[in-house]
Amino acid sequence: MRVIVTCGPSSEPIDAVRRITNFSTGELGILLANALTAAGHKVICCKGASATCHIPLDCAEAHAFETNDDVLALLRAVPNRESIGAIFHAAALADFRVKGVALADGTQASASKISSRSGELTLTLEPATKLISELRPLFPASKIIGWKYQLDGTRDDAIRKAREQIAEAHSNACIVNGAAYGDGFGWCAAAGEVVHLADKSALCAWLARRAV
């Protein structure tokens, strides 16, 4: 079966040399892509160019991305999208992108590399492309598994957020983790099933065996 895995962080430029990003290493997505490959699936992996995990990626096809829109362009370019059996959207994509950079006097910065001599800067951020919402129109027949990383609230709150994502994105399941969920990972299915997986290895084995 042909499957897609997204992994690692995206980044959004401030100027030509600086960017905003997050702490994702890409490890989980690489482990998942490798597990799916070992299970006999043909994996297309879209990995953030700034991912720091050094585990070798073993898959049929790999592409690097920088911004959220880069990922969307890669997915739109996948040939024969109707043959994709499942999409595992594990990438930690940016929630915001830079709309503008204002100098201390209020004027907009235009230099390719903004000098620190310019003084204080003010960044205006706007919501970045929400990729999970774009997947169902692109892959109407595929199983879509999203991710939800929650820091605030309780485990029940985290699971509720996962269910909200499933409903909004018309996906099949959502993996939830983070401080709100606690140790391990939760598999939340559209049908209501919740399964706890103890660690990354257990999660990847579960997904390779069950989700596809």
Side-chain angles (χ1 to χ4, degrees):
M1 181 183 293
R2 295 177 75 214
V3 301
I4 294 173
V5 176
T6 69
C7 67
S10 68
S11 61
E12 296 290 338
I14 297 172
D15 59 17
V17 297
R18 301 177 182 91
R19 62 193 178 187
I20 57 173
T21 186
N22 58 65
F23 294 111
S24 172
T25 66
E27 180 184 41
L28 177 57
I30 292 172
L31 292 173
L32 177 56
N34 291 351
L36 290 164
T37 298
H41 300 290
K42 184 177 181 180
V43 178
I44 301 169
C45 183
C46 300
K47 186 178 77 168
S50 55
T52 57
C53 178
H54 297 299
I55 297 172
L57 180 60
D58 180 19
C59 63
E61 190 177 333
H63 303 278
F65 65 82
E66 294 282 356
T67 68
N68 292 20
D69 288 339
D70 289 342
V71 188
L72 184 55
L74 286 172
L75 295 179
R76 284 174 173 163
V78 171
N80 303 316
R81 292 200 304 266
E82 67 280 359
S83 70
I84 297 295
I87 302 166
F88 300 89
H89 183 39
L93 299 187
D95 292 313
F96 298 93
R97 62 187 172 198
V98 178
K99 182 178 181 180
V101 183
L103 303 178
D105 62 4
T107 61
Q108 290 295 305
S110 59
S112 297
K113 181 183 179 184
I114 303 169
S115 172
S116 61
R117 293 183 177 86
S118 301
E120 184 179 277
L121 301 177
T122 301
L123 300 184
T124 300
L125 304 180
E126 63 180 359
T129 301
K130 199 75 172 174
L131 193 69
I132 187 69
S133 301
E134 303 287 341
L135 295 180
R136 181 54 71 199
L138 284 174
F139 301 92
S142 304
K143 292 183 179 178
I144 297 173
I145 296 88
W147 255 254
K148 199 72 177 173
Y149 181 67
Q150 289 295 121
L151 295 176
D152 299 319
T154 65
R155 177 169 289 193
D156 286 343
D157 293 331
I159 291 173
R160 177 174 54 81
K161 288 290 187 180
R163 296 202 185 287
E164 289 175 359
Q165 184 193 90
I166 292 170
E168 292 170 0
H170 304 288
S171 56
N172 298 90
C174 178
I175 308 299
V176 63
N177 68 307
Y181 181 81
D183 292 339
F185 300 82
W187 157 272
C188 303
E193 177 186 27
V194 178
V195 177
H196 175 73
L197 290 312
D199 52 30
K200 293 177 182 178
S201 295
L203 174 64
C204 291
W206 168 269
L207 293 176
R209 180 181 66 250
R210 169 75 181 271
V212 175

